[in-house]
Amino acid sequence: MTKTPFLISRRATLTGHRDCVYGLTEGADNQLFSAGGDGLMVSWDLSAPDPDATGELVAQVVGASVYALRYRPATNHLLVGHNGEGVQVVDLANRQIVRAPALGATPIFDLALSERLGRAWAALGDGSLVELDLQTYAVRRRVPLSGGSLRTVVVAESRGELIVAGSDHRIRILDADSLQIKHELIAHTNSVFTAALNPDESQLVTAGRDAQLRTWDAANGYAPVRSVVAHLFAIHHAAFSPDGALIATASLDKSIKLWSARTGRLLQVLDRGRAAGGHGTSVNRLVWPTGRRELVSCSDDRTVAIWSLTRRE
């Protein structure tokens, strides 16, 4: 039997959410934030011996799920995609909502921001992309892009581009200033749920309902590189490790998979059959915490899992 490249164990299970957990974002100083169907935003200390004991309620939205979270280090703000009222901006120092730009009663599936460009963007369920000013959080523009929902938005700062995709199967590359379409990538056969850039923004991966993990050469006009049948069912999220060497994917099939970013080769599978403490149902989102040999996942099973990864000698 071939040895797997990593020793992986579930270091901690973070509990307390009362519904599916959909959103994760890394904060400052080993802090993690989670949110989900219960409308609770919870902070956790990843450096604590028992991170589960550190869970603290930061804010709560009533009557709506939260799919999208984004931490803003420059201001210590947490941007929350409230699925009934728009984006809510939480000042974490005093745990108060300081801004709440209304975007209408439509789901917010993803958020991205850029301090360099001074803007944030929200991908909406009505097919619109909304641009916010980071100084005031006021809505600058709302651009209809699709007849279906937008599910993911990623900013490529080095090229001044946005990568937006959703349920119409298309991946749109936009100029971040004009919001005009520069490229359209048509390869997926169903909804695209996730897009991710590696740290130097040279490589893009996309995935979604067709369970294909597709790789694109982002530095050379987004030329296609490879496509892999990666999971049995829909892929909800993909994320590069901080060094860019690994890609992790999370799926409706209850598994997390690790891939070589260079070759596209499957390296390891985390599920209940192969990893003690694997999630019991759909895995929704992933975070690679900076400076830690860990991967964090959240699931419909209402838990957040912290996985320790040690490379075998």
Side-chain angles (χ1 to χ4, degrees), residues 31-62:
Q31 193 174 32
L32 179 82
F33 297 97
S34 61
D38 55 9
L40 303 177
M41 274 72 72
V42 181
S43 71
W44 313 88
D45 182 358
L46 296 179
S47 66
D50 180 9
D52 188 46
T54 70
E56 293 186 33
L57 181 65
V58 171
Q60 181 176 6
V61 298
V62 179

Side-chain angles (χ1 to χ4, degrees), residues 240-261:
F240 280 92
S241 59
D243 63 3
L246 302 174
I247 302 163
T249 54
S251 173
L252 179 64
D253 68 12
K254 309 178 189 179
S255 75
I256 300 164
K257 293 186 178 181
L258 301 180
W259 308 83
S260 165

Side-chain angles (χ1 to χ4, degrees), residues 296-313:
V296 182
S297 59
C298 66
S299 169
D300 277 7
D301 65 13
R302 306 182 182 186
T303 70
V304 176
I306 304 174
W307 304 90
S308 293
L309 283 73
T310 304
R311 188 174 286 278
R312 294 182 188 271
E313 297 298 329

Side-chain angles (χ1 to χ4, degrees), residues 166-170 187-193 207-211:
S167 62
D168 67 0
H169 316 180
R170 296 169 183 265
H188 287 280
T189 60
N190 214 317
S191 300
V192 181
F193 292 153
R209 196 180 297 278
D210 64 7

Side-chain angles (χ1 to χ4, degrees), residues 48-97:
D50 180 9
D52 188 46
T54 70
E56 293 186 33
L57 181 65
V58 171
Q60 181 176 6
V61 298
V62 179
S65 298
V66 174
Y67 297 140
L69 285 179
R70 187 70 60 182
Y71 176 67
R72 185 183 177 195
T75 56
N76 198 30
H77 287 167
L78 184 66
L79 279 64
V80 180
H82 185 304
N83 286 347
E85 298 178 9
V87 175
Q88 298 189 340
V89 181
V90 180
D91 183 341
L92 294 169
N94 55 31
R95 300 195 176 183
Q96 291 184 350
I97 295 173

Side-chain angles (χ1 to χ4, degrees), residues 158-237:
S158 63
R159 291 185 296 277
E161 293 175 341
L162 299 176
I163 298 144
V164 184
S167 62
D168 67 0
H169 316 180
R170 296 169 183 265
I171 303 155
R172 294 172 174 86
I173 314 301
L174 310 181
D175 178 84
D177 289 330
S178 68
L179 297 187
Q180 295 298 306
I181 297 172
K182 296 173 65 176
H183 308 282
E184 278 195 339
L185 311 179
I186 303 173
H188 287 280
T189 60
N190 214 317
S191 300
V192 181
F193 292 153
T194 182
L197 285 165
N198 67 340
D200 70 6
E201 299 184 348
S202 64
Q203 189 178 25
L204 171 70
V205 293
T206 58
R209 196 180 297 278
D210 64 7
Q212 299 267 343
L213 179 65
R214 294 187 181 272
T215 303
W216 311 84
D217 185 350
N220 291 288
Y222 296 92
V225 175
R226 71 177 68 90
S227 181
V228 178
V229 180
H231 284 267
L232 295 175
F233 303 118
I235 300 170
H236 289 147
H237 196 228

Side-chain angles (χ1 to χ4, degrees), residues 104-186:
T106 184
I108 300 172
F109 285 111
D110 201 9
L111 293 164
L113 65 86
S114 168
E115 295 294 340
R116 183 190 301 180
L117 301 177
R119 283 162 275 164
W121 299 269
L124 304 190
D126 67 2
S128 299
L129 180 72
V130 170
E131 182 181 81
L132 304 173
D133 184 277
L134 277 185
Q135 285 193 329
T136 63
Y137 295 108
V139 175
R140 296 186 63 193
R141 287 180 285 187
R142 184 174 187 140
V143 179
L145 287 177
S146 172
S149 61
L150 299 184
R151 302 301 296 262
T152 183
V153 55
V154 177
V155 57
E157 287 187 321
S158 63
R159 291 185 296 277
E161 293 175 341
L162 299 176
I163 298 144
V164 184
S167 62
D168 67 0
H169 316 180
R170 296 169 183 265
I171 303 155
R172 294 172 174 86
I173 314 301
L174 310 181
D175 178 84
D177 289 330
S178 68
L179 297 187
Q180 295 298 306
I181 297 172
K182 296 173 65 176
H183 308 282
E184 278 195 339
L185 311 179
I186 303 173

